[in-house]
Structure formats: C-alpha cells, structure tokens
C-alpha cells in the first residue's frame, strides 16, 4: 500500500505565523480556485515558486571595509516563457516579499497575455547609504551571483524600487562580460543608447492612467474636473499624476515618504515633480498645504492611486476611503481584508496585476526590439501599450461581470487559467 503524504502549502523556510506578502498572495490564489474548473488540480503549482536563489553579496566599501548584503532572485513560474521581473534595493526587502512579487509578476504577465513567466529580485540594502561606486560594485557582484539563472531566454530583470536605467546598464555589462559577448536582452529598462526602449520610463504610469480611464468610462465618471489622490510620487505616481492633469483632472493631494500635501484647486504637478527632484520629497511644497498622513486616505475624490509600496490600504484605513475608483500603481498595496471592505462600499479597485502592467508591457517591447535590432518610435510604442492595456481591461472586466466577482479575482481567473493551461499542456518532465 502506498503511503499518502499530506500536501504542505507552506515551505519550511517561511514563518507560518508571519507570512508577510506571500500570505496575501496565497489568499488571492485561494479565492480564484473555485473558478478554475479541471485546471484546479494544478493549483499547488502556483503556491510553490519554481526556483529561489539566496545569495551573499560582499563588496568593499570606500573606506576599505568589507560589507555583506543579502540578495534574492525568485523565479515563480516559467510555464509560459522566461522569467520577467524587477530588482529592488531596499533595507526591508524579505524573501517573502520577493516571492510574492515574483508570483504577482506571473499573474501580471499572463493577465495581459505576455509570453513571460514571473520572477523578482532584491537586495536588503538602503542604497541612500552607498556611494555611486559602492552601488556599482554591489550591482555587479549581485549580477555575477545570480548570473547562473538569468539570461535573455531564462530570466530578464528590470528596474524596480530604488533601481533605474543606470543599474540596468551595470547589470547588462556584468552579464555580458561574463558571457564574453554583449547581451542587450538580459535586462530591460536600460538607457536608450544601450538598447533601451523609448517610452519605457513613462510606461507604468501611462498604463495606470489608461486603465483608470477605462474604469471611469465603465462607471460613467467624467475625467474632466475629476479629483485625484496619489500616494507615492516617483516614476509611477508622478507620471500618472501628470497624465491625469493633462486630461483635465485635478490632483488634489499627494503623499510620499516625506509627508502629504493638499490643494483642493489642484496641485501644479510639473512644479511638484521639480520640487521632489530638488528636495527629495513632496514635504514643504509651497503650492500646497501640509496634510496629516492619515487624513490623506479620507479625502473625497474620484480616483485614488496608491503607487508606493505594498500593504498601504488595510482594514484600518480602508473604511475611511471615499474615492470612487482605486487604481493600484504599486504592487500589492491593498490587503485582502481591505479589498473586501472597499468592495462592500461600492468602490471599484483596478488591481495591480492589471493597472501597473504597462511597465512590463514596454519591457516586452524592449526585449523584442533588442532581439531584432529594430527599434520603434515612441508613438508606436505608446499606441501598442494602450492597445494591450485596453484589451486586457476589457477581457478582465468581462470575466468579472460573468462571474460577479471583483476585477482582482477576474484578473486572477484569466491569468491563472492561462498559466495552468500551459502547465497542463507541457506536462511534467521527466
């Protein structure tokens, strides 16, 4: 008689009592299970990352001391294509966080039907404490350590929190030197002169704006004069705010790590972006008045765009939200408990796996352009991006109406079905 082994959903290296972001992802997967039909037999595939690499990243500091940093690269699923996902440098990065982010990348890529799987990377470091030389050495060492699992046809990193085009240039060069040949396709989000794509810098914020417009049209919310709240004013939040303002909406409040500012007549977004570039945050902006951070969530508005870090909308502050539409620019900004509260209040949430997928869409365009060595105009890229985002929104919105579920659950139904169908068709090897 064959012994029956119980199925363990939680890997031994995670703390069962403090699952962190991975726990949020698992709850989201459980919610989609009833809608997967025969594919549900493969569901455990989504609860177990395919590959996890934890590396030590030692560098010599400018003062001659040796410092060690903990680095990660997680490949969640590659059934539909090579891994794709960013690299973040942050002092609070954890394995649970990188696992969840890699899984959300799997869902995101499948939700908008890109031929990618999901991956993510990170280093536990506060990059503000490093010089440019130290940052370069950290990046090059990390790239060398994870070089055994990345590559243009294996896993393609990109910028994320506290990483940028320069970091991608160092990663590309390090990988290329180790390979003995220039490999522009190993990363995306590169400088234009190294095979980067036009439109990549604005892509995530533009995608947020495009799906916000689609949701507004569905709900009959006019864009002209609409009030917008933006949390996080970096590349994503800043670009989204700019596009909202250009479309006739009013950005009435912005919050970032330095504080919150408010102007009911509408903040001057270009001036605020310049202030952030000069002063490092929105605090002290002369074109608005200071606002308590907790009060930011309570303002009445048509759009709320959380574009900072995960876990910002919780069961504590979700009851206070008075926006009509929440458009998630960040990854995982809303907990499942907050999701339920917002839905009960009739607030439409456009989920991260759809709303912020513009960045990976243009990363895909960059990857394709690198392989063909033929580059498109920015207008072509923006048109293709908008076409992909609108098609994805339409498909996911249709599934939401068909099953009477939230847009998030609908996005997971669409994405998980695609991933698990690929898994089933490929079968298990050996």
């Amino acid at each position: 008689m064959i012994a029956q082994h119980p199925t363990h959903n939680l890997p031994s290296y995670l703390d069962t009592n403090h699952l962190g972001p991975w726990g949020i992802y698992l709850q989201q997967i459980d919610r989609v299970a009833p809608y997967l039909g025969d594919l549900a037999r493969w569901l455990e595939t989504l609860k177990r990352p395919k590959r996890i690499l934890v590396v030590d990243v030692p560098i010599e500091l400018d003062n001659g001391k040796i410092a060690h940093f903990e680095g990660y690269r997680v490949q969640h699923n590659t059934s539909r294509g090579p891994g794709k996902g960013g690299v973040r440098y942050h002092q609070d990065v954890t394995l649970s966080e990188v696992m969840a982010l890699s899984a959300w990348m799997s869902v995101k890529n499948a939700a908008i039907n890109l031929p990618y799987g999901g991956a993510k990377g990170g280093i536990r470091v506060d990059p503000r404490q490093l010089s440019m030389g130290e940052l370069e050495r950290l990046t090059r060492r990390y790239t060398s350590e994870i070089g055994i699992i990345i590559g243009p046809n294996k896993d393609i990193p990109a910028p994320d929190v506290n990483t940028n085009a320069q970091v991608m240039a160092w990663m590309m060069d390090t990988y290329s030197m180790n390979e003995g040949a220039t490999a522009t396709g190993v990363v995306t989000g590169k400088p234009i002169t190294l095979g980067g794509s036009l439109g990549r810098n604005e892509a995530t914020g533009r995608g947020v704006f495009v799906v916000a417009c689609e949701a507004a049209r569905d709900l009959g919310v006019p864009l002209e004069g609409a009030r917008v709240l933006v949390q996080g004013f970096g590349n994503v939040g800043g670009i989204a705010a700019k596009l909202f303002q250009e479309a006739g909406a009013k950005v009435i409040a912005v919050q970032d790590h330095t504080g919150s500012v408010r102007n009911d007549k509408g903040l001057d977004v270009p001036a605020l972006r310049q202030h952030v570039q000069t002063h490092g945050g929105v605090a002290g902006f002369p074109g608005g008045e200071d606002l308590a951070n907790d009060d930011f969530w309570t303002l009445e508005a048509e759009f709320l765009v959380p574009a900072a870090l995960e876990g910002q909308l919780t069961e504590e502050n979700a009851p206070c939200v008075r926006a009509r539409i929440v458009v998630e620019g960040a990854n995982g900004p809303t907990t499942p408990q907050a999701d339920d509260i917002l839905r009960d209040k009739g607030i439409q949430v456009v989920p991260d796996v759809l709303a912020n997928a513009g960045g990976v869409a243009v990363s895909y365009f960059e990857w394709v352009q690198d392989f063909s060595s033929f580059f498109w105009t920015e207008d072509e890229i923006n048109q293709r991006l908008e076409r992909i985002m609108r098609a994805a929104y339409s498909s996911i919105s249709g599934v939401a109406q068909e099953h009477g579920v939230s847009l998030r659950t609908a996005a997971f139904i669409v994405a998980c079905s695609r991933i698990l169908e690929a898994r089933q068709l490929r079968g298990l090897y050996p």
Side-chain angles (χ1 to χ4, degrees), residues 1-314:
M1 184 174 176
I2 300 174
Q4 297 296 313
H5 296 282
T7 299
H8 298 290
N9 292 339
L10 298 177
S12 61
Y13 45 81
L14 289 181
D15 182 350
T16 309
N17 298 316
H18 300 92
L19 282 178
W22 182 250
I24 293 176
Y25 165 75
L26 290 179
Q27 291 180 60
Q28 293 168 341
I29 290 297
D30 287 338
R31 291 185 178 203
V32 83
Y35 305 97
L36 295 177
D38 293 342
L39 292 173
R41 67 187 286 257
W42 294 93
L43 191 65
E44 282 295 312
T45 303
L46 299 174
K47 296 182 178 182
R48 301 166 185 272
K50 174 182 176 64
R51 183 177 291 118
I52 294 174
L53 182 62
V54 182
V55 296
D56 176 41
V57 187
I59 64 166
E60 184 176 349
L61 301 177
D62 293 342
N63 61 12
K65 292 182 179 178
I66 305 299
H68 291 257
F69 301 93
E70 191 172 304
Y72 313 101
R73 188 68 186 176
V74 177
Q75 294 168 351
H76 173 258
N77 187 281
T78 56
S79 293
R80 302 182 74 252
K84 187 80 189 78
V87 175
R88 63 175 50 184
Y89 292 174
H90 197 277
Q91 61 274 18
D92 296 326
V93 164
T94 64
L95 178 57
S96 168
E97 179 183 38
V98 178
M99 286 170 59
L101 291 167
S102 72
W104 285 322
M105 284 303 303
S106 293
V107 175
K108 185 183 303 183
N109 287 319
I112 65 169
N113 212 15
L114 298 182
Y116 286 141
K120 205 76 175 186
I123 304 178
R124 284 180 66 86
V125 61
D126 183 352
R128 295 170 297 182
Q129 305 300 316
L130 300 182
S131 68
M132 280 295 286
E134 291 167 337
L135 197 62
E136 179 177 354
R137 295 194 289 277
L138 180 81
T139 300
R140 290 185 181 276
R141 183 66 191 225
Y142 170 72
T143 306
S144 292
E145 295 292 348
I146 67 169
I148 55 175
I149 65 169
I150 65 171
N153 292 301
K154 293 181 180 179
D155 180 0
I156 306 116
D160 197 75
V161 175
N162 292 328
T163 56
N164 55 22
Q166 177 61 76
V167 171
M168 293 304 107
W170 289 329
M171 290 191 76
M172 188 208 81
D173 182 69
T174 304
Y175 180 87
S176 296
M177 296 300 287
N178 288 338
E179 289 291 303
T182 299
T184 54
V186 68
V187 296
T188 57
K190 303 179 297 294
I192 300 296
T193 51
L194 294 178
S197 177
L198 296 170
R200 175 63 183 84
N201 188 53
E202 289 195 351
T204 308
R206 185 174 296 279
V208 166
F209 174 71
V210 169
V211 295
C213 293
E214 294 297 293
R217 188 181 62 189
D218 273 359
L219 296 175
V221 176
L223 213 56
E224 184 71 35
R227 297 160 296 179
V228 184
L229 311 174
V230 180
Q231 189 210 27
F233 208 65
N235 187 45
V236 179
I239 295 298
K242 167 179 170 282
L243 295 172
F244 269 113
Q245 187 176 74
E246 290 174 354
K250 296 186 300 183
V251 179
I252 63 168
V254 172
Q255 179 182 103
D256 70 3
H257 65 284
T258 65
S260 304
V261 292
R262 172 184 186 176
N263 186 331
D264 290 342
K265 294 181 179 179
L267 294 159
D268 183 336
V269 172
L272 180 55
R273 293 182 72 198
Q274 184 59 51
H275 176 85
V276 169
Q277 194 171 356
T278 304
H279 299 281
V282 302
F285 177 59
E289 60 186 55
D290 290 343
L291 176 70
N293 283 340
D294 289 344
D295 292 342
F296 169 84
W297 304 102
T298 69
L299 297 179
E300 190 172 348
E302 280 65 52
F303 297 94
L304 167 60
V305 182
L309 294 173
E310 60 268 8
Q312 299 301 299
L313 274 164
T314 66

